[in-house]
C-alpha cells in the first residue's frame, strides 16, 4: 500500500524503454517552416484585406495594382502550401498542386490576350459606322454613322484608325513603358504620374510616323482637298480614343487641334496621340478604372469650319429627367469659348415638335470670340499653316486660333437667329431618334450660314431632378442666382483654384471655387464636395464631367472669388444656385451619397475576378469530410486548410520531444522536470549553469509565452506542496486501476519529463506525468491574425467516470474564459485565436495555474456537483478545491485577457448541462487560452 501511495502522490519513475534522440536542429527546421507558413498567411491576409477594400470602389486603383495583388497572392499561396508540405514530411503535398492551379487562374484574370489591329490605317467617314468603335473610337464611329447612315450635315473627313496609333506606339517603345507605369506609379502620387506621362508623350513626339502610315494620311488629306475643291484646305484633328463618346464622355480630356494644313498634319497627328497620356487624361482613366495599356487613339481629320458661331445642343435637360425640352448654348466664333467655359454663352430652351418652338432664351454677354488665325489661313502656299498650332476644345495651350475682343454691342447680340435654332433643334430630334437615346451635340454655323454637326455622343441624364429649394431662414446667404450644372448639396472648406494652382494641393472634401468652368479641373472632381465657377456653360466639358462624378456644381456666380475666402466653410445648394456661410443642416439632408468611383469599371471587373478566386471561404469545418485539399476552391480555403493543418503538425512536436538531444533543464520549483529546447531566442545562451545537470534558472528563459506559462505554474497560490484531501471513492478507483494496469505493463502511463520547444514568440509545451498528458502550443507575435493558444489534455489515474468529470470541469473553465472547446471521453481540446500578444500572456499565465490545479483532480470528482464546483473554485481564484468545499464567494478571480486580474469579477460558469461549445477541433491551432472571450 505504501508503494501504491508513493506512485499516486509523487513523481513516477521514468520509463526505461530505449528512445530515439531528436536533435535541436530538427526542431529548428520545423520552426522555420512554421514561421514561413505563418508569414505567408499574414501576407495573404493583408492582400485579401486590400482586395476587399478596393472592391468597395472608393479608392482609385489601376490594372497594375490588381496585377501585383494577383501575382503576390498566387506566389504566397504556393509558398504556404510548400511550407505545409515540408513541415508535415509530405503529408499534404496535394495542396501544392492546388496552390499552383490557383496561382495560374489568378494570373489569367489580368493576362487577357490583346492583339492590336494592323489594318486598315485610314478610313473615309463614309466607310465608317457606329459598330466600328473598336477600330476608330467612339467619336469617329458616331461621325461615320452621321455620314453613312443618318445623312447629317457633317464636314467631310476621314479617320486614322487605332491601327495607326499602335504602329506609332510600337515604334516609340510604348507597350513596355505603359506596363511599367501601371505597375510602378501610385495613382495618388500626382507628381510621379506627371513625370511618367511626360516620358510617354516625349517618346511619341520624338518618334517618326511609320512610312506606310504617313503615306496613307497624306494621301487621304490630298483626297479630301480634292473633294472639297479647297487648295488651301485646313483641317481639325479631333481625338477619338477607345471608349470616348460612349458610356464615358471624356469631355475635354484629350486634344483637338484646329486650323492645320498639310505640312504639319503628321506633327499634329502625333500631338493628338500624345494627348492620350496627358496627366489629366491618364487621371481620368484611372478614376474610371480604364487601363492605359489597353486603350488606343484614333483621330478624326475633318475639313475646318471657319465658324461664325458654335456651341452645344442637348436634346434633353441633363439635370432634370422630367424636362424633355431641347437645350442650346452658343457663342460667337469657334466652340472653344463654350466648351471650355471662357464666356457665358447664349442659352435657349425649345419644346419638341415639327417644327420645334423656342420657349425660353437668355442672351449671355460674350465679350470675346475665338477665330481661325488669319495668317494661317492665308500663309505662303497651300501648306503654310502656323507652326506649333496645337490648341482646341479642351486644350489649354496655344493653337491655330486667336482670341478677339468684341464690342459691347456685339457682345450682347444673340449668335443664332430663330430659324437657325429651329433647324438645329430639328436635327437634334432626328439624332435622338436615330441613336435611340438623348444626345450631346457639338455644332457650328460657318460664315455663309451653313449648319454643321461636328460630333454627337450620348448625353448623361442625372437620375435626380433639380428641385427648387426655398431660401433657408436664418442661414447667411453669400451668393445666389447661379445656374445648376449638376444638382445636389455639398459643404466643405473653400479652396480657391486659379490658372496656376497645383491641383494636387486641393484637399479632399473641399468646395472648389474657380474663375471659369475649365475641364482642367477634372482631376479634382472625385475629391471635391462641390464646385463653383464665376463663369461657365451648362453644356461645357466641365459640366459633363461634374455630372459623371455627381459633384454638386453651380456656374455663373459673379464675385465668387471675392466673396468666398480660402478656408471658409460654406454650403453649396446646387438645386437653387445659392451658397451659404457655414454648414446648413436643413440643406445637407438633401445631399446624396456618391456612387463609388470604381464600381463597374473595366479594372474593377478584373479585380472582381481576383476576389472570386481569393476571398470566399468554403472550408469552415475542420471536422467535415470535405475539409481536404481536393475541396479547396479559393486562396482563403487554402489558407484555412494550411493554417489548420500547420497547428496540428506543430502539436506533433510533443511526440518528438521525449529523449530529445539539446534539451536544457529548467531548474525551478516546479512539480515537473522541465526541459527546454531552444529553436531561436527562447533561452539566454550566455546564462550560467545552475548545477551539475547543466540546467538554467528561470531568469534564462527569454521566451515570452513560456515565461507567462511558468509564472502561472509557480504562482504560490496554486503550487501546493502537500497532497490534496483524499476522497475515499476516488482513492479506491485509483487502487483498482493500479491493480489492473501495473505501471510496467500499462500502455497509458507516460514518462516523468516535460518538454518545452521555445523561441522568443513560440511555445510547444508537453507535460507527460503519470497518467496525465497535456500539450500546449502557442504563438504570440505582432500580427493578431497569426496568434493562438492551443491545448489538449487527456488521461488520469482514476476511473473513466471521474476522468470525464475532470475533463468537463476543464471545459467549463476554458469555455468561460473564451475558448472554443471539444470534449471526447477523457480528452479535452481547446483553442483561442486572433488576440493581441499581451492578452495571450494573461491566457498562458492562467493556463499555468490550470495545469497545476488539475493534477490529481480526477480523484476528487465524486459526483456531478463536483464538476461545477471545481470550475467555480478555479475561476474564483480558490485553488484548494475539495469535494467537501462550499461554493466560493469572492476571493481573487481568474482574469480575462485585457482585464485586471485583481479586480475581475468572479462570474458563474455556464451550466454544465449546456456542455462546452463545439469549437474548431483539437488540432486546429488557435488553441486555448485561459481567458479570452469566445468568438
Amino acid at each position: 500500500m505504501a508503494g501504491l501511495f508513493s506512485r499516486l502522490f509523487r513523481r513516477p519513475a521514468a520509463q526505461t524503454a530505449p528512445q530515439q534522440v531528436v536533435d535541436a536542429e530538427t526542431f529548428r527546421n520545423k520552426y522555420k517552416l512554421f514561421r514561413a507558413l505563418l508569414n505567408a498567411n499574414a501576407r495573404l491576409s493583408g492582400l485579401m484585406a486590400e482586395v476587399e477594400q478596393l472592391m468597395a470602389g472608393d479608392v482609385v486603383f489601376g490594372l497594375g495594382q490588381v496585377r501585383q495583388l494577383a501575382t503576390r497572392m498566387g506566389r504566397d499561396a504556393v509558398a504556404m502550401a510548400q511550407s505545409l508540405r515540408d513541415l508535415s514530411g509530405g503529408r499534404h503535398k496535394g495542396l501544392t498542386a492546388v496552390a499552383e492551379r490557383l496561382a495560374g487562374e489568378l494570373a489569367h484574370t489580368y493576362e487577357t490576350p490583346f492583339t492590336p489591329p494592323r489594318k486598315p490605317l485610314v478610313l473615309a467617314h463614309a466607310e465608317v459606322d457606329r459598330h466600328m468603335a473598336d477600330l476608330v473610337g467612339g467619336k469617329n464611329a458616331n461621325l461615320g454613322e452621321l455620314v453613312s447612315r443618318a445623312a447629317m450635315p457633317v464636314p467631310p473627313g476621314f479617320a486614322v484608325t487605332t491601327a495607326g496609333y499602335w504602329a506609332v506606339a510600337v515604334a516609340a517603345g510604348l507597350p513596355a513603358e505603359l506596363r511599367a507605369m501601371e505597375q510602378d506609379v501610385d495613382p495618388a502620387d500626382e507628381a510621379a504620374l506627371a513625370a511618367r506621362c511626360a516620358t510617354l508623350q516625349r517618346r511619341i513626339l520624338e518618334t517618326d510616323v511609320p512610312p506606310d502610315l504617313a503615306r496613307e494620311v497624306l494621301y487621304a488629306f490630298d483626297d479630301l482637298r480634292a473633294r472639297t475643291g479647297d487648295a488651301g484646305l485646313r483641317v481639325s484633328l479631333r481625338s477619338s480614343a477607345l471608349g470616348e463618346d460612349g458610356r464615358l464622355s471624356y469631355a475635354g480630356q484629350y486634344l483637338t487641334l484646329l486650323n492645320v494644313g498639310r505640312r504639319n498634319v503628321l506633327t499634329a497627328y502625333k500631338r493628338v496621340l500624345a494627348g492620350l497620356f496627358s496627366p489629366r487624361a491618364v487621371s481620368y482613366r484611372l478614376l474610371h478604372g480604364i487601363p492605359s495599356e489597353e486603350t488606343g487613339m484614333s483621330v478624326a481629320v475633318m475639313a475646318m469650319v471657319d465658324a461664325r458661331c458654335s456651341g452645344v445642343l442637348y436634346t434633353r435637360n441633363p439635370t432634370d429627367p422630367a424636362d424633355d425640352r431641347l437645350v442650346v448654348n452658343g457663342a460667337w466664333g469657334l466652340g472653344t469659348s463654350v466648351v471650355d467655359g471662357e464666356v457665358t454663352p447664349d442659352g435657349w430652351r425649345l419644346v419638341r415638335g415639327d417644327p420645334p418652338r423656342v420657349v425660353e432664351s437668355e442672351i449671355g454677354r460674350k465679350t470675346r470670340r475665338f477665330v481661325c488665325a488669319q495668317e494661317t489661313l492665308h500663309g505662303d502656299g497651300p501648306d503654310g499653316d502656323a507652326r506649333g498650332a496645337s490648341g482646341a476644345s479642351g486644350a489649354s495651350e496655344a493653337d491655330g486660333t486667336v482670341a478677339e475682343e468684341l464690342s459691347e454691342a456685339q457682345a450682347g447680340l444673340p449668335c443664332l437667329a430663330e430659324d437657325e435654332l429651329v433647324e438645329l433643334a430639328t436635327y437634334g430630334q432626328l439624332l435622338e431618334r436615330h441613336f435611340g437615346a438623348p444626345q450631346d451635340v457639338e455644332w457650328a454655323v460657318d460664315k455663309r450660314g451653313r449648319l454643321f454637326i461636328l460630333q454627337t455622343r450620348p448625353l448623361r441624364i442625372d437620375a435626380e431632378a433639380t428641385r427648387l429649394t426655398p431660401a433657408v431662414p436664418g442661414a447667411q446667404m453669400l451668393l445666389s442666382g447661379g445656374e445648376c450644372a449638376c444638382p445636389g448639396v455639398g459643404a466643405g472648406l473653400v479652396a480657391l483654384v486659379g490658372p496656376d494652382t497645383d491641383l494636387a494641393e486641393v484637399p479632399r472634401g473641399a468646395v472648389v471655387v474657380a474663375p471659369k468652368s475649365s475641364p482642367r479641373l477634372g482631376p479634382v472632381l472625385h475629391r471635391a464636395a462641390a464646385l463653383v465657377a464665376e463663369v461657365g456653360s451648362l453644356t461645357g466639358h466641365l459640366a459633363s464631367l461634374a455630372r459623371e462624378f455627381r459633384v454638386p456644381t453651380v456656374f455663373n456666380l459673379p464675385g465668387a472669388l471675392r466673396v468666398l475666402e480660402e478656408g471658409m466653410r460654406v454650403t453649396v445648394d446646387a438645386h437653387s444656385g445659392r451658397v451659404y456661410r457655414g454648414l446648413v443642416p436643413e440643406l445637407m439632408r438633401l445631399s446624396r451619397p456618391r456612387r463609388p468611383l470604381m464600381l463597374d469599371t473595366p479594372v474593377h471587373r478584373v479585380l472582381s475576378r481576383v476576389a472570386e478566386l481569393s476571398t470566399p471561404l468554403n472550408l469552415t469545418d475542420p471536422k467535415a469530410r470535405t475539409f481536404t485539399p481536393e475541396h479547396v476552391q479559393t486562396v482563403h480555403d487554402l489558407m484555412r486548410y494550411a493554417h489548420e493543418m500547420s497547428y496540428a503538425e506543430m502539436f506533433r512536436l510533443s511526440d518528438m520531444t521525449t529523449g530529445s538531444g539539446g534539451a536544457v533543464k529548467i531548474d525551478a520549483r516546479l512539480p515537473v522536470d522541465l526541459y527546454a529546447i531552444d529553436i531561436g531566442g527562447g533561452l539566454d545562451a550566455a546564462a550560467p549553469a545552475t548545477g551539475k545537470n547543466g540546467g538554467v534558472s528561470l531568469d534564462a528563459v527569454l521566451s515570452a509565452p513560456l515565461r507567462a506559462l511558468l509564472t502561472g505554474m509557480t504562482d504560490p497560490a496554486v503550487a501546493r506542496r502537500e497532497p490534496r484531501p483524499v476522497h475515499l471513492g476516488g482513492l479506491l478507483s485509483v487502487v483498482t486501476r493500479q491493480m489492473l494496469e501495473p505501471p510496467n505493463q500499462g500502455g497509458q502511463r507516460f514518462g516523468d519529463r516535460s518538454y518545452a520547444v521555445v523561441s522568443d514568440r513560440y511555445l510547444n509545451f508537453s507535460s507527460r506525468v503519470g497518467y496525465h498528458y497535456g500539450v500546449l502550443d502557442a504563438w504570440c507575435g505582432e500580427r493578431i491574425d497569426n496568434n493562438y493558444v492551443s491545448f489538449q489534455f487527456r488521461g488520469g489515474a482514476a476511473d473513466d467516470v471521474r476522468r470525464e468529470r475532470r475533463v468537463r470541469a476543464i471545459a467549463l473553465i476554458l469555455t468561460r474564459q473564451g475558448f472554443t472547446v471539444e470534449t471526447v471521453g477523457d480528452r479535452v481540446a481547446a483553442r483561442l485565436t486572433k488576440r493581441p500578444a499581451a492578452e495571450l500572456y494573461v491566457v498562458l499565465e492562467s493556463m499555468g495555474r490550470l495545469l497545476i490545479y488539475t493534477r490529481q483532480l480526477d480523484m476528487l470528482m465524486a459526483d456531478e456537483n463536483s464538476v461545477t464546483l471545481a470550475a467555480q473554485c478555479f475561476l474564483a481564484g480558490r485553488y484548494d478545491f475539495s469535494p467537501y468545499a462550499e461554493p466560493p464567494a469572492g476571493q481573487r478571480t481568474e482574469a480575462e485577457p485585457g482585464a485586471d486580474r485583481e479586480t475581475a469579477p468572479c462570474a458563474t460558469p455556464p451550466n454544465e448541462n449546456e456542455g462546452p461549445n463545439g469549437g474548431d477541433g483539437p488540432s486546429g491551432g488557435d488553441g486555448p487560452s485561459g481567458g479570452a472571450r469566445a468568438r
Side-chain angles (χ1 to χ4, degrees):
M1 180 66 72
L4 173 60
F5 274 88
S6 174
R7 291 199 302 273
L8 290 177
F9 299 112
R10 298 175 192 169
R11 297 175 184 170
Q15 294 182 4
T16 59
Q19 299 164 345
Q20 180 181 3
V21 176
V22 181
D23 60 20
E25 190 61 29
T26 299
F27 291 107
R28 291 191 184 98
N29 289 336
K30 293 278 187 182
Y31 173 67
K32 288 177 183 176
L33 291 168
F34 182 55
R35 283 195 64 177
L37 187 147
L38 289 183
N39 288 337
N41 182 75
R43 292 192 299 269
L44 285 170
S45 296
L47 292 172
M48 287 204 303
E50 190 172 351
V51 167
E52 290 171 349
Q53 179 188 22
L54 295 180
M55 281 296 294
D58 297 313
V59 179
V60 179
F61 60 93
L63 183 62
Q65 190 171 354
V66 178
R67 181 185 292 115
Q68 288 181 354
L69 284 171
T71 301
R72 291 164 58 195
M73 201 172 284
R75 183 174 61 237
D76 285 331
V78 171
M80 194 171 187
Q82 290 174 339
S83 294
L84 178 63
R85 178 197 63 196
D86 296 343
L87 179 65
S88 66
R91 272 189 291 272
H92 305 281
K93 60 184 179 182
L95 191 64
T96 303
V98 174
E100 290 171 347
R101 172 180 58 79
L102 284 171
E105 291 177 357
L106 284 165
H108 185 67
T109 59
Y110 60 80
E111 289 180 348
T112 52
F114 174 70
T115 304
R118 295 187 177 183
K119 295 287 184 178
L121 297 172
V122 175
L123 288 170
H125 279 150
E127 302 175 273
V128 174
D129 61 40
R130 58 176 158 172
H131 303 295
M132 301 171 68
D134 287 344
L135 180 62
V136 298
K139 187 175 296 179
N140 268 323
N142 289 337
L143 285 169
E145 183 77 10
L146 296 182
V147 173
S148 63
R149 302 288 181 88
M152 290 285 166
V154 177
F158 59 89
V160 186
T161 70
T162 54
Y165 160 76
W166 282 108
V168 175
V170 171
L174 251 59
E177 283 287 339
L178 288 173
R179 182 168 287 252
M181 181 176 72
E182 293 283 1
Q183 291 179 343
D184 301 340
V185 177
D186 180 355
D189 188 344
E190 297 186 19
L193 182 65
R196 189 59 65 93
C197 287
T199 299
L200 293 169
Q201 291 183 303
R202 185 171 59 253
R203 286 205 172 198
I204 292 175
L205 295 174
E206 293 175 353
T207 298
D208 290 335
V209 176
D212 55 342
L213 175 60
R215 281 194 302 269
E216 292 208 29
V217 170
L218 293 176
Y219 177 84
F221 187 98
D222 292 339
D223 179 69
L224 183 60
R225 182 161 58 181
R227 283 191 284 139
T228 60
D230 184 357
L233 177 68
R234 300 297 184 275
V235 294
S236 64
L237 285 84
R238 297 173 179 266
S239 65
S240 182
L242 294 182
E244 188 176 3
D245 289 354
R247 183 181 67 87
L248 299 174
S249 69
Y250 287 83
Q253 300 308 299
Y254 295 134
L255 197 60
T256 295
L257 300 180
L258 303 178
N259 207 29
V260 178
R262 188 181 191 276
R263 181 189 305 170
N264 283 333
V265 71
L266 294 179
T267 300
Y269 170 68
K270 289 194 299 180
R271 297 190 68 175
V272 176
L273 297 188
L276 189 65
F277 302 108
S278 71
R280 189 166 75 196
V282 172
S283 175
Y284 181 90
R285 289 196 299 271
L286 285 170
L287 291 172
H288 289 91
I290 299 167
S292 288
E293 63 185 271
E294 294 182 9
T295 192
M297 177 66 79
S298 175
V299 177
V301 183
M302 304 168 66
M304 187 70 199
V305 176
D306 188 13
R308 184 196 80 205
C309 61
S310 307
V312 175
L313 160 69
Y314 286 167
T315 62
R316 293 182 184 262
N317 183 348
T319 63
D320 187 352
D323 184 359
D324 69 349
R325 294 179 298 173
L326 296 97
V327 179
V328 177
N329 277 177
W332 296 117
L334 300 170
T336 305
S337 56
V338 177
V339 297
D340 280 3
E342 296 285 347
V343 300
T344 301
D346 298 337
W348 295 271
R349 298 286 197 277
L350 295 92
V351 295
R352 295 170 181 274
D354 186 15
R357 182 168 51 88
V358 178
V359 293
E360 185 179 317
S361 64
E362 185 172 350
I363 307 307
R365 187 171 172 274
K366 307 168 290 298
T367 57
R368 62 176 178 167
R369 65 182 176 188
F370 289 86
V371 298
C372 293
Q374 292 300 309
E375 60 269 25
T376 63
L377 283 174
H378 300 95
D380 50 339
D383 303 317
D385 54 305
R387 293 182 181 275
S390 66
S393 67
S396 59
E397 58 229 72
D399 56 20
T401 65
V402 293
E404 290 183 350
E405 299 300 319
L406 298 179
S407 67
E408 192 69 26
Q410 191 174 7
L413 292 175
C415 66
L416 283 174
E418 186 167 342
D419 61 329
E420 292 173 321
L421 281 166
V422 170
E423 180 186 13
L424 175 60
T426 300
Y427 280 131
Q429 292 179 150
L430 292 172
L431 285 169
E432 184 174 283
R433 191 175 307 131
H434 181 84
F435 286 99
Q439 295 293 296
D440 170 355
V441 183
E442 289 191 25
W443 56 268
V445 175
D446 71 5
K447 293 177 179 177
R448 295 164 57 186
R450 295 178 299 175
L451 173 65
F452 291 95
I453 304 299
L454 304 180
Q455 69 178 63
T456 188
R457 60 187 170 210
L459 174 64
R460 178 182 290 268
I461 303 293
D462 199 296
E464 179 178 331
T466 301
R467 61 185 74 182
L468 293 178
T469 52
V472 180
Q476 183 181 353
M477 188 185 302
L478 300 175
L479 296 166
S480 63
E483 292 186 275
C484 303
C486 180
V489 174
L493 302 180
V494 168
L496 301 178
V497 175
D500 299 323
T501 301
D502 182 358
L503 297 181
E505 300 300 322
V506 176
R508 181 172 295 276
V511 172
V512 176
V513 181
K516 65 178 184 178
S517 59
S518 169
R520 170 180 176 268
L521 299 176
V524 304
L525 289 177
H526 72 285
R527 61 179 187 267
L531 177 65
V532 173
E534 290 190 324
V535 175
S537 167
L538 302 187
T539 57
H541 290 327
L542 188 62
S544 295
L545 295 174
R547 289 190 289 272
E548 284 184 15
F549 288 97
R550 300 184 68 180
V551 180
T553 300
V554 180
F555 291 159
N556 299 317
L557 279 174
L561 290 169
R562 174 178 48 80
V563 175
L564 304 180
E565 300 173 356
E566 183 79 25
M568 175 189 292
R569 186 174 297 279
V570 298
T571 299
V572 176
D573 177 3
H575 290 293
S576 298
R578 304 185 182 106
V579 180
Y580 294 86
R581 181 186 293 276
L583 186 69
V584 182
E586 297 91 335
L587 289 174
M588 292 306 297
R589 286 195 288 268
L590 300 177
S591 64
R592 53 181 175 172
R594 294 193 195 174
R595 184 176 183 273
L597 282 172
M598 305 297 291
L599 289 185
D600 198 33
T601 64
V603 167
H604 193 273
R605 287 193 286 272
V606 175
L607 178 70
S608 297
R609 295 196 293 273
V610 173
E612 289 169 3
L613 288 168
S614 58
T615 58
L617 179 61
N618 306 292
L619 299 188
T620 57
D621 183 3
K623 298 184 290 296
R625 288 187 299 175
T626 56
F627 199 83
T628 65
E630 292 75 20
H631 290 87
V632 168
Q633 302 176 44
T634 66
V635 173
H636 203 169
D637 288 342
L638 183 144
M639 293 169 61
R640 181 73 170 95
Y641 179 85
H643 214 220
E644 194 79 20
M645 294 301 107
S646 69
Y647 296 147
E649 294 301 332
M650 294 307 287
F651 232 93
R652 289 192 178 96
L653 284 181
S654 61
D655 297 330
M656 303 168 59
T657 52
T658 302
S660 297
V664 177
K665 189 177 189 308
I666 304 298
D667 281 334
R669 295 178 61 81
L670 293 168
V672 295
D673 287 333
L674 177 61
Y675 289 79
I677 302 168
D678 184 11
I679 57 176
L683 297 177
D684 183 357
T690 56
K692 295 181 180 179
N693 57 12
V696 295
S697 68
L698 283 178
D699 292 337
V701 176
L702 301 180
S703 171
L706 178 58
R707 287 188 68 88
L709 184 73
L710 295 180
T711 298
M713 293 180 71
T714 57
D715 186 340
V718 71
R720 65 170 63 244
R721 294 298 168 187
E722 70 280 0
R724 289 183 184 275
V726 177
H727 185 268
L728 183 58
L731 176 62
L732 291 177
S733 76
V734 173
V735 170
T736 301
R737 187 175 187 193
Q738 290 285 329
M739 293 173 65
L740 295 175
E741 297 181 6
N744 61 338
Q745 297 177 16
Q748 298 298 314
R749 186 174 178 79
F750 307 110
D752 62 344
R753 282 190 176 188
S754 295
Y755 286 89
V757 180
V758 295
S759 76
D760 53 346
R761 292 175 285 182
Y762 176 70
L763 166 65
N764 182 283
F765 175 84
S766 58
S767 176
R768 302 159 179 262
V769 180
Y771 290 93
H772 310 296
Y773 172 49
V775 178
L776 187 150
D777 198 71
W779 176 272
C780 306
E782 295 178 358
R783 286 192 61 89
I784 292 177
D785 285 349
N786 284 339
N787 290 348
Y788 70 91
V789 177
S790 183
F791 177 65
Q792 288 188 35
F793 181 91
R794 65 183 173 89
D799 58 66
D800 291 347
V801 173
R802 293 171 188 271
R803 296 201 310 273
E804 290 177 8
R805 285 174 183 162
R806 174 171 60 177
V807 160
R808 284 192 283 128
I810 293 173
L812 286 175
I813 293 168
L814 297 179
T815 300
R816 174 63 185 84
Q817 293 185 327
F819 289 88
T820 56
V821 183
E822 182 183 74
T823 61
V824 178
D826 69 345
R827 174 182 173 276
V828 61
R831 69 179 186 175
L832 184 71
T833 63
K834 299 181 180 180
R835 302 300 173 94
E839 289 189 16
L840 292 190
Y841 298 148
V842 176
V843 165
L844 289 166
E845 185 177 337
S846 179
M847 292 300 297
R849 286 189 288 271
L850 183 64
L851 288 171
I852 303 303
Y853 177 75
T854 54
R855 294 179 70 235
Q856 303 168 0
L857 188 65
D858 51 341
M859 291 192 303
L860 304 181
M861 297 287 101
D863 53 32
E864 288 299 310
N865 290 332
S866 61
V867 175
T868 303
L869 185 59
Q872 288 178 333
C873 284
F874 180 82
L875 292 169
R878 268 186 52 182
Y879 306 118
D880 55 347
F881 167 74
S882 77
Y884 314 107
E886 294 296 326
Q891 289 203 7
R892 182 183 68 181
T893 63
E894 285 294 317
E896 297 182 1
D900 183 348
R901 193 183 67 174
E902 304 305 323
T903 60
C906 176
T908 303
N911 189 309
E912 68 166 301
N913 293 327
E914 297 175 1
N917 71 41
D920 290 335
S923 60
D926 304 4
S929 89
R933 298 186 183 277
R935 288 181 294 183

